[in-house]
Amino acid sequence: MVPDADAAVSAKRADPFAPLTSDMLDVGDGHELYVESVGRPDGIPAIYLHGGPGSGCQPDHRKLFDPERFCAVLFDQRGCGRSRPKGSREHNTTAHLVADMEKIREKFGFERWMLVGGSWGATLALAYAEAHPERVSGIALRATFLGTRAEVETAFTSRLSQFYPALSEDFLSVLPPEERSRPVDAYWRRILDADPAVHGPAARAWHDAERTLSEHKPAKTRLDLASLNVWRTLPATPFMEAHYFVNNSFMSEDQLLRSAGKLEGIPGIIVQGRYDLLCPPETSHALAKVWPGSEIRIVEEAGHSLYDAGVRDAVMRAIADVASKISR
């Protein structure tokens, strides 16, 4: 796309990735979402969907989009980041998030937009696209996650013990012996317990084990068991993850794969780390088989994290390439 006069003006901005707009959007049910836009007002419409569930958008996420080419919207999902009330799990389901996206699209006046998301962001992108395929111009995903209980259980049980056996022992040791036969269910139950003495150690252990699984070369491969009962600010993601995963991500069994035929005609690129222990290549392969016209791009020597070697660059290329397909 050749920059026009407006683009020349935007290029003079001290920070081309500074938000064009930033607002709190009332979406009902007592929730207000932090929503921002970056790039150029007349650029290719796109939306970025953060992971977790429970994390939030970061300034670096803006830089995935060429500011001279896109008008990209980023928002913190219900209960996440700068959205209010912080941490709220009331009226917080996948269907609510999909409806929120529609309110955001209408706010910006986009007829169709491109979806970008990784991990849980990929789940939400697929859920939205299957609910509103007519509103989607293209999709760029990283680390396909279909939101199923089986994916999470496998990651935190057999895969954890296969690749990090000592960490797996640490992870189980946080639970009483009678709860170790179904550790994932036990962790979710404990994380959602109202007692800080119960949910605190479980949330920290879950968060730290998940971080190790998410990185190809993690800095830590054991839990610091002595620190689990030391008071400090608790990570937010385990609470929202437990809320969603104990409810099967508020979707029916294998919903996203069963409904993938609705994606036909929507161009898509899936960026996949070869050694992703949370969202392995088999999941992206299963999705691509039932999504006509999609493409998988494997990043060798990479795991789950956006910041593993080569992943961020691959995601930026995928976003640009999908945009080229929809702007022809």
Side-chain angles (χ1 to χ4, degrees):
M1 296 177 68
V2 179
D4 57 15
D6 290 337
V9 171
S10 70
K12 296 177 183 178
R13 297 167 64 202
D15 180 2
F17 296 103
L20 294 171
T21 62
S22 59
D23 299 289
M24 298 299 296
L25 176 65
D26 186 343
V27 292
D29 305 315
H31 284 273
E32 290 183 302
L33 305 185
Y34 174 80
V35 183
E36 65 181 29
S37 63
V38 296
R40 49 185 287 168
D42 62 344
I44 298 170
I47 185 168
Y48 181 80
L49 305 170
H50 68 70
S55 56
C57 290
Q58 304 299 323
D60 186 64
H61 296 154
R62 303 168 187 161
K63 298 179 182 179
L64 296 172
F65 301 90
D66 179 350
E68 294 303 335
R69 197 177 187 195
F70 290 93
C71 180
V73 176
L74 302 88
F75 77 105
D76 292 337
Q77 296 160 26
R78 293 191 180 205
C80 302
R82 293 149 289 185
S83 293
R84 300 190 295 250
K86 188 173 179 64
S88 175
R89 300 188 293 271
E90 293 291 324
H91 305 290
N92 196 332
T93 70
T94 302
H96 283 107
L97 302 186
V98 167
D100 290 347
M101 290 173 63
E102 271 295 89
K103 290 184 174 69
I104 293 169
R105 183 190 62 78
E106 292 167 357
K107 167 184 169 66
F108 283 90
F110 298 149
E111 182 176 350
R112 300 167 75 223
W113 55 359
M114 179 177 163
L115 312 181
V116 179
S119 194
W120 168 254
T123 313
L124 184 54
L126 293 169
Y128 176 90
E130 292 176 5
H132 302 284
E134 74 284 357
R135 298 302 183 187
V136 181
S137 59
I139 306 175
L141 303 181
R142 173 190 61 82
T144 304
F145 174 52
L146 300 174
T148 67
R149 172 182 288 259
E151 290 170 280
V152 182
E153 288 184 336
T154 300
F156 282 86
T157 56
S158 60
R159 201 169 295 131
L160 182 62
S161 65
Q162 287 169 356
F163 288 89
Y164 295 103
L167 176 59
S168 179
E169 291 176 357
D170 293 344
F171 188 69
L172 291 174
S173 75
V174 177
L175 303 172
E178 64 272 16
E179 296 183 17
R180 295 175 189 171
S181 62
R182 295 186 61 85
V184 171
D185 284 324
Y187 262 93
W188 292 340
R189 184 169 56 251
R190 286 176 167 270
I191 291 169
L192 294 175
D193 193 290
D195 186 352
V198 176
H199 69 234
R204 294 186 189 107
W206 180 276
H207 172 270
D208 292 353
E210 185 174 35
R211 170 166 287 183
T212 296
L213 287 169
S214 73
E215 298 173 350
H216 184 46
K217 297 180 180 179
K220 296 181 180 180
T221 59
R222 299 292 300 270
L223 295 182
D224 183 356
L225 297 174
S227 73
L228 295 183
N229 291 303
V230 177
W231 186 92
R232 65 178 184 270
T233 302
L234 292 172
T237 52
F239 298 95
M240 199 66 75
E241 288 180 358
H243 167 69
Y244 268 80
F245 298 157
V246 79
N247 289 292
N248 300 302
S249 298
F250 299 96
M251 294 186 292
S252 60
E253 189 71 22
D254 291 326
Q255 176 179 320
L256 297 182
L257 281 185
R258 287 188 293 100
S259 301
K262 297 178 181 179
L263 305 176
E264 185 171 5
I266 300 175
I269 296 174
I270 305 166
V271 174
Q272 176 66 54
R274 174 69 72 191
Y275 302 108
D276 188 336
L277 300 183
L278 288 171
C279 302
E282 65 178 345
T283 310
S284 289
H285 182 72
L287 175 63
K289 284 182 67 175
V290 292
W291 179 5
S294 63
E295 172 192 352
I296 300 175
R297 295 181 179 178
I298 298 291
V299 182
E300 303 291 351
E301 303 300 325
H304 181 78
S305 174
L306 175 64
Y307 300 104
D308 276 350
V311 176
R312 188 176 183 277
D313 287 345
V315 170
M316 292 178 70
R317 285 195 297 271
I319 292 170
D321 290 348
V322 171
S324 294
K325 293 181 180 182
I326 66 180
S327 59
R328 287 171 184 166

